[in-house]
Amino acid sequence: MALVVVDLQNDFCAGPPERLRQVAVNSARAVALARERGVEVVFVRFVGDAEHQGASWRRRDRVLGKRPKCLEGSWGAEFRQVAPQVGEAVFTKQACFDAFLGSGFERHLVRGGVGRLVFAGLYADVCVDSTARTAFQKGFHITVLTDCTTALHLEDADVLRFMTAVYGAHTATHDHPDRWAPPAAQEDTCSAPESRTASA
């Protein structure tokens, strides 16, 4: 099992303050609890510099008047409330939603024998969902910490219901790490999936 903290960065935490503030606080608590229990913590960060954007991404931003977020080296790209410790893995996504599209993410999980990914971070309906979707298709079990994420475009309850129905996602809260995975009798063995691509 690994706790995956997705895009908990200043630029993404600049929206409606109270809900995002609580997500950041709860995610930091989840990180502390994971470390106390010896659960691996993996950090995923987004950088949106124009040189990393594909043509469709640039067109969308132009049409919608969006500015690039989390520019490399900027305050906006820094983690909010959390900070990787020495030895903890950090993976960078270059203008994409899915952590599996970043270099080394899948390889790290497979080599570490990780079978379940526990998700915290932003946003439930964008990068968390994109990464959880690929994870499910690659054979990882999924848990979403419901008080450590929130949606950007959709209702939180709708996104969580979708993940449960489509990915078989287990849901829990940060404050009960003993419940981050369902009882062993309720699921298949959480052995690490085999990498499906040589470049993953």
Side-chain angles (χ1 to χ4, degrees), residues 44-106:
V44 176
R45 62 190 289 270
F46 173 90
V47 293
D49 302 67
E51 60 263 34
H52 301 316
Q53 298 174 5
S56 57
W57 192 290
R58 293 194 300 273
R59 179 187 179 280
R60 182 208 64 177
D61 282 4
R62 184 172 64 253
V63 169
L64 298 180
K66 289 176 171 284
R67 293 185 177 183
K69 286 185 168 60
C70 301
L71 300 179
E72 189 68 83
S74 71
W75 173 85
E78 294 175 3
F79 288 112
R80 172 73 65 94
Q81 291 283 339
V82 296
Q85 292 185 345
V86 174
E88 290 179 334
V90 181
F91 298 95
T92 299
K93 302 175 299 169
Q94 296 181 330
C96 62
F97 302 139
D98 185 346
F100 284 90
L101 296 177
S103 177
F105 181 72
E106 181 179 3

Side-chain angles (χ1 to χ4, degrees), residues 1-8 31 35 39-46 79 82-93 99 102-112 114 117-118 120:
M1 180 164 62
L3 174 64
V4 181
V5 182
V6 179
D7 298 357
L8 200 65
V31 167
R35 288 169 176 160
V39 173
E40 181 181 9
V41 183
V42 176
F43 293 86
V44 176
R45 62 190 289 270
F46 173 90
F79 288 112
V82 296
Q85 292 185 345
V86 174
E88 290 179 334
V90 181
F91 298 95
T92 299
K93 302 175 299 169
S103 177
F105 181 72
E106 181 179 3
R107 186 186 309 116
H108 175 82
L109 298 174
V110 171
R111 286 180 177 172
V114 175
L117 304 184
V118 181

Side-chain angles (χ1 to χ4, degrees), residues 128-149:
V128 172
D129 176 76
S130 294
T131 304
R133 180 175 304 203
T134 301
F136 169 72
Q137 293 175 100
K138 287 179 175 289
F140 293 91
H141 294 281
I142 304 301
T143 294
V144 181
L145 299 182
T146 59
D147 58 347
C148 293
T149 190

